[in-house]
Amino acid sequence: MKKVLLPDQCAEILFDLRDRNVRLLESLFQVRIGARGPRVFIEGDEKHEKILEKILTDFSSLVSNGCSFSNGELREAFQQIAEGAAGSLHDFFPKALVLKTPIREVSPRSLNQSRYVQAIHRNDLVFGIGPAGTGKTYLAVATAVSFLLDKRVQRIVLSRPAVEAGERLGFLPGDLQEKVNPYLRPLSDALIHVIGAERVRKLMDREIIEIAPLAFMRGRTLGDSFIILDEAQNCTSEQMKMFLTRIGLNSRAVVTGDITQIDLPPGQTSGLVEARGLLRGLQGISICEFDRRDVVRHRLVKRIIQAYESMDSVARRGVRSEE
């Protein structure tokens, strides 16, 4: 049995009205937690007792240093540690602030997200690869806005390939702008969430923010820009090479995508898959990979991703047994 001494303020946060934090810790680490005054008792497997002892010691240290967080954030941190996405509460709190505006504060919510943001600051080209909901695009957009507001770049350029789920632009109704908008809406949604619709509109009117299909990038050189290529798993090899050679002086590029959701025709190589293998290890380039532990959407999304991963794993084993 381990014993941890918690200040009164820490105990009040940990043992909230419904003991939700305590019950979550008990279920995540298969331990029993009790308290007598400021003393917290942990009983269970020795390995898990040590993990809980460190969690509570770090928790006490953070609170003593003035760190504040909601119960939801605290429970998310406990979950991340249990799943191995964070090593300690100090990986999660105090959070490295990506951007603060009058309407939004944006911060990483997992260890991989923190590494991703750090990589963007340190490298001219970063690949963010992983499943939906891991914050790849949102954090890239928020970081781009922070670079713009700090005058580290003069404009933001956001792009996507116009190929999704078997549909192409020519088959959609309407004029060119109406055809393009559905493909680019996720990027404008992220911008609006970060800085508001009115400010986005003004910056787009002044061409400080540009959102365009990947095909519109050909022949351009983008200097003094923060460039984001989203849904890059649907780029062909030629399109990826074209995009990467658009990067001009004093520019930074982030390429995001999910290689488990490639919508290219059968037999066509994904430019993102190829670039990941070809460019790994080159100076100035960072490749950051996410998994379901980094998902920050509804908790069901993690379970859905895990279910599909399990199905794919069974299918691969079946193919190997047939061979």
Side-chain angles (χ1 to χ4, degrees):
M1 179 183 290
K2 295 285 185 183
K3 300 177 184 178
V4 180
L5 186 65
L6 288 182
D8 290 342
Q9 185 182 3
C10 296
E12 289 174 6
I13 297 171
L14 185 66
F15 293 91
D16 63 352
L17 291 176
R18 299 180 182 175
D19 285 348
R20 289 171 297 180
N21 298 323
V22 171
R23 289 205 306 272
L24 177 61
L25 285 171
E26 288 179 329
S27 67
L28 290 173
F29 297 99
Q30 292 81 53
V31 297
R32 294 181 64 188
I33 301 174
R36 274 193 213 103
R39 291 180 177 82
V40 175
F41 300 91
I42 307 162
E43 185 176 1
D45 176 83
E46 184 178 358
K47 176 184 174 182
H48 290 154
E49 284 182 357
K50 288 181 178 179
I51 294 173
L52 259 294
E53 181 182 30
K54 177 169 174 51
I55 287 175
L56 295 182
T57 301
D58 290 345
F59 173 59
S60 177
S61 170
L62 288 166
V63 173
S64 299
N65 289 327
C67 182
S68 62
F69 32 73
S70 69
N71 271 338
E73 289 178 323
L74 192 58
R75 289 193 291 274
E76 177 71 21
F78 293 157
Q79 188 84 40
Q80 295 279 350
I81 293 171
E83 294 176 352
S88 74
L89 286 179
H90 288 291
D91 290 332
F92 209 93
F93 304 104
K95 300 174 290 186
L97 191 64
V98 176
L99 175 69
K100 183 174 183 178
T101 71
I103 66 169
R104 191 76 54 200
E105 280 191 7
V106 180
S107 299
R109 295 184 62 184
S110 75
L111 184 57
N112 280 336
Q113 288 189 359
S114 294
R115 289 171 175 165
Y116 178 56
V117 172
Q118 291 168 12
I120 295 173
H121 280 268
R122 294 171 182 168
N123 298 274
D124 291 334
L125 174 59
V126 174
F127 289 84
I129 302 173
T134 50
K136 308 179 301 294
T137 302
Y138 185 77
L139 285 172
V141 168
T143 308
V145 170
S146 74
F147 271 56
L148 182 68
L149 297 179
D150 291 342
K151 303 189 185 304
R152 296 178 62 179
V153 297
Q154 294 182 8
R155 60 179 170 164
I156 296 172
V157 180
L158 309 176
S159 186
R160 288 179 129 201
V163 177
E164 288 190 15
E167 295 184 349
R168 295 179 183 271
L169 288 177
F171 294 101
L172 295 177
D175 59 22
L176 180 60
Q177 192 62 42
E178 291 171 330
K179 291 173 187 284
V180 164
N181 280 340
Y183 290 94
L184 304 180
R185 187 57 190 258
L187 293 170
S188 59
D189 284 348
L191 279 169
I192 290 168
H193 192 260
V194 169
I195 56 175
E198 182 63 22
R199 194 167 190 180
V200 170
R201 185 186 63 77
K202 289 179 179 179
L203 291 172
M204 291 183 71
D205 287 345
R206 294 164 58 193
E207 298 186 348
I208 293 173
I209 293 178
E210 176 186 354
I211 307 178
L214 179 60
F216 290 13
M217 298 293 107
R218 189 172 298 279
R220 302 177 64 184
T221 299
L222 302 172
D224 294 308
S225 302
F226 197 116
I227 316 156
I228 299 174
L229 174 60
D230 191 35
E231 295 290 334
Q233 76 274 6
N234 290 326
C235 291
T236 65
S237 176
E238 294 79 10
Q239 287 174 326
M240 180 62 73
K241 180 180 177 182
M242 181 272 290
F243 172 80
L244 295 177
T245 54
R246 300 308 94 202
I247 304 171
L249 295 175
N250 191 38
S251 286
R252 197 152 305 219
V254 178
V255 178
T256 68
D258 178 1
I259 59 175
T260 69
Q261 298 194 47
I262 298 172
D263 297 314
L264 292 169
Q268 193 161 31
T269 300
S270 165
L272 179 59
V273 173
E274 183 181 69
R276 181 178 65 166
L278 187 64
L279 303 179
R280 189 183 295 276
L282 293 184
Q283 187 175 2
I285 299 176
S286 178
I287 299 176
C288 301
E289 305 209 26
F290 300 86
D291 57 37
R292 65 176 180 273
R293 295 174 299 180
D294 302 297
V295 171
V296 293
R297 292 182 182 171
H298 193 285
R299 59 184 176 274
L300 281 178
V301 175
K302 290 185 181 182
R303 298 172 190 168
I304 291 167
I305 292 169
Q306 185 174 12
Y308 275 97
E309 287 175 349
S310 298
M311 182 183 70
D312 291 342
S313 177
V314 170
R316 285 195 296 270
R317 286 200 300 271
V319 170
R320 283 197 295 269
S321 63
E322 290 175 4
E323 294 173 347

